[in-house]
Amino acid sequence: MNPSTAAPRRFRTDQAQLTITDPRDGSTVGSLDADGADQVRAVVTRAATAFPRWRATPAEERGAALRAAASTLDEHADELAELEQRENGRHREASLGGIRAAVDTLRQYAELGPLHRGRSLRGALGSIDLTRAEPRGIAAVITPWNDPVAVTAGLIGAALVTGNVVISKPSERCPHLGLRLGEILSDCFPLHVLQVLTGAAEVGETLIAAPGVEIVAHVGSTAAGERIARVTALTGAHLIRENGGNDALVVDADVDPRWAASQAAIGAFTNSGQICTAVERIFVHRDLADEFLTALTAEARKRNEEGALAPLVDERMRADVHEQVLASANEGARILEGGDIPDSPGAHYPATVLTDLHPSMPLFSEETFGPVAPVMVVDSFEEGLRRAADDSYGLQATVLTDSMAHAALAVDALPVGTVKVNAVFGGAPGGSAEPRGRSGSGFGYGPELLDEMTTVKVVHVESAVRR
């Protein structure tokens, strides 16, 4: 039996309708009609009509519109946080944090957009050589449910401020939120510059394959991203995608095991593990393994006793996570905490710690989108790096070490877009990274996203020969 199909579903999808229930208690949130192929084509046509005028709008005016959108979004933060909670179960403060991040991102792009510039080139005397960045056209923005406002606002903001028009297709797991966010933001822009489509995978597939779509920006599952990549390979649309990860944490012998356990708990249990950059594979040096495991188990137990974790997004996701835990346990992994489905309404799953893991077990070989911390004991830091690097994904990895030499070795050895040293979720404002392997391609955030949203034209000018 495959839990992906056998478990009760939190949402029902067909060509006509999406029905959503609250993952906290199973109550009904509501139903929405899904858009059909004719509606998708009509939205693309309207976007193509709106593009020339928006493209010609001065950059400072586009930036001003984005600043207005940020302020409007800020005013609706409480409303959107409540709606997000009902659709994906996230704790209110976490939802508000994502919305505040979205507001900040829109404001950053409002300032950066008008400053986005080309370059002068050194050509022959008497000539002018330069490059200019131009908008690509219609951007299809396909976004996830786990941090929906922040991710969506970032992609929309970068696309709009550089002169593109946007069609947003939010996750079918939070369609009410996606529609409401689109209503709030689109009021700050000219008609049809920002539009929203509602539906499941078939709507997104119709959209990205539509003639005239020049950018596809996708944040979501690896399976969906790989399907999208196959389509854009045929259409020629520019693809930006940040997909799943199987991020490693390598713990050196010279760090405090209790501190290392707190870092592992933050990485594995934040947002109930439903983050693409969550810690999903832990390699701990044998010298401190016992103390580390004791402390990590205590971290998980405390969260479980306090009811600190939000539910998973739905029962289907919970079934997938639990299947990986049970399959790994059946192959020899030992559960130290959690690992069972609670007898209560909703889609809750406990913080779970396992040890005696092997790389071939499902919890190590597959992405796990839940609050699970699987631990493998290694004999050296170098062995931990080798095992961390042996993976098909390439999103992020973290090392905990007091050795600068080991930190430098990790930066060079780990084939991922981001390496973090001594902080699982640290990072300066304005940072960005390109995922590798199955985790995607292109810059999905940061100042470099403006480059992704534009195409470069080279201009060469010389004096004409007069009559």
Side-chain angles (χ1 to χ4, degrees):
M1 181 181 296
N2 182 354
S4 295
T5 56
R9 295 171 65 100
R10 187 181 68 84
F11 63 90
R12 178 173 60 82
T13 67
D14 51 35
Q15 293 288 349
Q17 197 171 67
L18 307 177
T19 300
I20 307 297
T21 58
D22 190 325
R24 297 172 296 181
D25 58 15
S27 62
T28 299
V29 176
S31 297
L32 286 172
D33 291 335
D35 290 311
D38 289 344
Q39 291 163 304
V40 174
R41 286 189 288 269
V43 164
V44 172
T45 298
R46 292 195 294 266
T49 301
F51 173 58
R53 176 173 290 186
W54 183 244
R55 180 187 190 276
T57 300
E60 61 270 25
E61 292 184 21
R62 296 199 298 261
L66 217 61
R67 280 192 293 276
S71 296
T72 302
L73 179 58
D74 196 22
E75 293 168 2
H76 288 83
D78 288 333
E79 173 196 351
L80 292 174
E82 172 66 23
L83 190 49
E84 182 177 345
Q85 284 186 282
R86 296 184 64 204
E87 293 205 295
N88 69 11
R90 208 172 181 200
H91 285 327
R92 182 176 182 79
E93 194 53 43
S95 296
L96 285 171
I99 295 165
R100 294 186 193 107
V103 171
D104 289 344
T105 299
L106 290 176
R107 287 174 175 158
Q108 289 168 9
Y109 285 138
E111 301 303 319
L112 290 173
L115 302 179
H116 194 235
R117 65 190 71 181
R119 298 180 178 179
S120 61
L121 308 175
R122 297 189 65 177
L125 291 176
S127 67
I128 298 173
D129 291 88
L130 56 90
T131 67
R132 55 179 281 170
E134 298 182 342
R136 294 177 180 272
I138 300 173
V141 172
I142 316 293
T143 50
W145 49 264
N146 58 330
D147 195 4
V149 179
V151 173
T152 303
L155 293 172
I156 287 174
L160 292 180
V161 81
T162 48
N164 302 284
V165 293
V166 171
I167 302 170
S168 173
K169 207 295 283 182
S171 169
E172 61 270 29
R173 281 178 157 120
C174 53
H176 297 87
L177 176 65
L179 270 178
R180 184 65 185 127
L181 177 63
E183 291 171 354
I184 290 167
L185 295 181
S186 63
D187 283 346
C188 301
F189 301 95
L191 187 64
H192 301 148
V193 165
L194 171 60
Q195 301 175 84
V196 179
L197 287 168
T198 299
E202 62 273 6
V203 175
E205 290 166 1
T206 303
L207 172 61
I208 64 173
V213 172
E214 299 291 345
I215 308 170
V216 176
H218 173 253
V219 177
S221 75
T222 298
E226 289 171 344
R227 291 198 301 270
I228 289 170
R230 289 192 285 271
V231 174
T232 57
L234 297 177
T235 66
H238 180 65
L239 176 61
I240 310 156
R241 65 183 181 104
E242 182 180 281
N243 296 152
N246 197 18
D247 294 0
L249 173 67
V250 181
V251 183
D252 207 350
D254 58 1
V255 300
D256 184 304
R258 290 169 297 279
W259 168 74
S262 70
Q263 284 288 304
I266 291 169
F269 304 144
T270 296
N271 207 40
S272 301
Q274 299 174 119
I275 308 175
C276 57
T277 55
V279 168
E280 305 210 14
R281 297 176 297 143
I282 301 171
F283 303 94
V284 60
H285 197 288
R286 189 172 300 278
D287 289 354
L288 49 72
D290 289 344
E291 291 180 88
F292 174 86
L293 284 167
T294 297
L296 179 57
T297 301
E299 291 270 2
R301 185 167 297 134
K302 179 181 178 182
R303 286 166 168 80
N304 291 337
E305 290 174 349
E306 295 176 350
L309 297 188
L312 300 190
V313 68
D314 58 28
E315 293 178 354
R316 182 173 64 118
M317 179 63 71
R318 182 175 68 178
D320 288 344
V321 171
H322 192 52
E323 180 189 31
Q324 289 185 11
V325 170
L326 292 183
S328 297
N330 289 337
E331 294 182 23
R334 184 161 50 98
I335 298 174
L336 302 180
E337 173 65 18
D340 53 4
I341 293 178
D343 185 16
S344 60
H348 297 271
Y349 198 77
T352 299
V353 178
L354 303 92
T355 189
D356 299 340
L357 267 291
H358 186 275
S360 64
M361 293 178 179
L363 285 176
F364 262 21
S365 60
E366 304 170 18
E367 181 181 24
T368 306
F369 227 56
V372 181
V375 181
M376 179 179 181
V377 178
V378 294
D379 291 320
S380 67
F381 184 75
E382 290 77 10
E383 181 191 352
L385 288 184
R386 286 196 304 273
R387 293 192 179 278
D390 185 18
D391 189 58
S392 61
Y393 293 88
L395 200 55
Q396 179 174 295
T398 303
V399 296
L400 305 179
T401 180
D402 194 42
S403 166
M404 288 302 296
H406 280 182
L409 180 63
V411 169
D412 187 62
L414 294 169
V416 295
T418 301
V419 175
K420 301 203 173 184
V421 180
N422 296 332
V424 290
F425 290 143
S432 58
E434 281 192 288
R436 302 183 185 184
R438 297 188 68 204
S439 292
S441 60
F443 292 95
Y445 57 96
E448 287 79 5
L449 181 54
L450 300 179
D451 297 328
E452 298 280 359
M453 295 294 180
T454 54
T455 186
V456 174
K457 178 179 288 182
V458 176
V459 179
H460 174 78
V461 181
E462 290 189 18
S463 299
V465 178
R466 301 183 65 182
R467 295 178 61 182

